[in-house]
């Protein structure tokens, strides 16, 4: 009976910084590491991580690599940081840094900081995956902290998910509240659209918290989502369930439910 009705995530854990800005919650990292270790030699690494934005802080990415035995393929995308500053660290830890930003369309995006506006190269997520030869692969962990790009840049991602061309195992995202404020009022349509998109990607919310350390203590919210398959894999790992056959799961994580997106979006601006 224990293995018949797994929920979103029974085994969430903070990865990266134990305290402060930058740490994220991951569902069943041991299960991710176990799948990575079980892969046959010479095959592509089953763990693929895309990290959008780092601002010279790679504690989360380094912890992922360390705790999966160095077998998780990690790519960091951040056109704003000076790549030379991370060159030595990336060589030591094994992640790859790309000077590309995430956007709704290929081109350039503008970033305003300290009174200065600069333009940087940008691509959509499908374009990033095509560039790196990852088209068709599942993104095991997708971390996004792009200072507000999450609202516009997710449209192509949702389209790919809905068409069955993109699979995301987990999403760790920092959502910036100013992106939901227009004319001094909350833009609930933008909120609802974003959470409906997460639902279309088969992602279910398993952790939420206000970021008290960054964004002046109130402008950012941290969310963590998990897909049905990733949740089932984690549940099976920790509960010693069968890995195939005999599941009999009728109400498992991610089964179609018209109220899923509605329930999730209530977590924002409520």
């Amino acid at each position: 009976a224990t293995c018949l009705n797994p929920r979103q995530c029974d085994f969430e854990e903070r990865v990266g910084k134990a305290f402060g800005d930058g740490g994220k919650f991951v569902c069943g990292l041991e299960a991710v590491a176990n799948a990575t270790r079980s892969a046959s030699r010479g095959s592509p690494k089953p763990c693929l991580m895309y990290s959008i934005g780092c601002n010279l802080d790679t504690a989360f990415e380094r912890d992922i690599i360390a705790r999966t035995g160095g077998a998780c393929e990690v790519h960091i995308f951040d056109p704003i940081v000076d790549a030379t500053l991370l060159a030595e660290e990336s060589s030591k830890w094994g992640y790859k840094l790309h000077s590309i930003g995430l956007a709704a369309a290929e081109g350039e995006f503008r970033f305003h900081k300290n009174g200065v506006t600069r333009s940087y190269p940008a691509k959509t997520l499908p374009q990033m995956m095509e560039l790196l030869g990852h088209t068709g692969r599942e993104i095991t962990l997708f971390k996004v902290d792009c200072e507000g790009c999450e609202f516009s840049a997710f449209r192509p991602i949702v389209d790919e998910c809905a068409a069955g061309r993109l699979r995301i195992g987990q999403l760790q995202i920092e959502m910036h509240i100013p992106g939901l404020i227009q004319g001094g009022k909350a833009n609930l349509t933008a909120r609802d659209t974003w959470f409906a998109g997460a639902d279309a990607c088969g992602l279910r919310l398993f952790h939420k918290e206000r970021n008290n350390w960054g964004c002046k203590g109130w402008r950012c919210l941290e969310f963590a989502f998990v897909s049905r398959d990733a949740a089932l894999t984690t549940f099976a790992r920790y509960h010693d369930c069968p890995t195939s056959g005999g599941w009999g799961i009728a109400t498992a994580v991610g089964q179609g439910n018209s109220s899923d997106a509605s329930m999730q979006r209530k977590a924002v601006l409520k």
Side-chain angles (χ1 to χ4, degrees):
T2 303
C3 300
L4 292 181
N5 189 24
R7 303 309 301 165
Q8 275 86 339
C9 182
D10 290 333
F11 304 94
E12 63 177 60
E13 55 185 309
R14 188 175 176 88
V15 179
K17 293 179 180 177
F19 186 81
D21 189 23
K24 308 292 181 184
F25 279 83
V26 174
C27 180
L29 186 57
E30 181 184 336
V32 174
N34 184 65
T36 301
R37 289 191 294 264
S38 300
S40 59
R41 183 171 298 178
S43 64
K45 296 178 181 178
C47 175
L48 176 63
M49 175 179 168
Y50 273 30
S51 177
I52 309 298
C54 71
N55 194 28
L56 298 178
D57 180 359
T58 60
F60 177 74
E61 292 81 3
R62 287 186 279 113
D63 205 9
I64 290 291
I65 292 173
R67 295 175 63 179
T68 58
C72 194
E73 184 178 347
V74 176
H75 295 265
I76 300 175
F77 300 85
D78 196 329
I80 298 175
V81 303
D82 185 346
T84 59
L85 295 178
L86 291 179
E88 182 177 346
E89 187 180 271
S90 63
S91 177
K92 174 183 177 181
W93 287 97
Y95 62 75
K96 296 178 175 61
L97 179 66
H98 309 276
S99 297
I100 305 171
L102 179 68
E106 184 174 17
E108 293 186 340
F109 75 93
R110 293 182 177 182
F111 186 76
H112 184 79
K113 186 176 183 180
N114 298 328
V116 179
T117 300
R118 292 189 173 90
S119 296
Y120 301 92
K123 291 182 180 292
T124 66
L125 179 62
Q127 289 169 341
M128 290 176 171
M129 297 181 72
E130 181 180 10
L131 177 67
L132 299 179
H134 296 154
T135 299
R137 287 185 62 182
E138 177 183 80
I139 298 180
T140 312
L141 300 169
F142 187 33
K143 190 214 81 175
V144 179
D145 184 358
C146 57
E147 305 305 319
C149 85
E150 61 269 16
F151 296 105
S152 61
F154 259 68
R155 185 67 261 172
I157 297 174
V158 172
D159 291 342
E160 291 294 296
C161 287
R165 294 188 294 265
L166 175 63
R167 293 173 294 119
I168 298 173
Q170 295 189 46
L171 169 65
Q172 286 76 29
I173 185 166
E174 183 176 86
M175 186 174 289
H176 298 78
I177 296 303
L180 291 175
I181 305 297
Q182 294 181 357
K185 295 182 179 180
N187 185 347
L188 299 184
T189 299
R191 178 203 67 176
D192 293 353
T193 299
W194 194 94
F195 275 89
D199 188 65
C201 284
L203 297 170
R204 301 292 177 263
L205 182 67
F206 72 86
H207 183 89
K208 62 179 180 178
E209 65 180 6
R210 187 178 73 179
N211 186 333
N212 295 307
W213 305 282
C215 305
K216 298 184 179 180
W218 67 272
R219 293 186 175 186
C220 297
L221 298 172
E222 301 284 346
F223 294 99
F225 298 80
V226 64
S227 71
R228 173 182 181 272
D229 288 344
L232 288 175
T233 299
T234 299
F235 194 88
R237 169 69 178 171
Y238 286 90
H239 286 287
D240 195 26
C241 295
T243 56
S244 63
W247 279 94
I249 301 173
T251 57
V253 172
Q255 294 291 341
N257 187 332
S258 60
S259 64
D260 284 341
S262 176
M263 289 188 294
Q264 294 192 82
R265 64 184 178 238
K266 291 178 181 178
V268 185
L269 297 181
K270 185 177 179 180

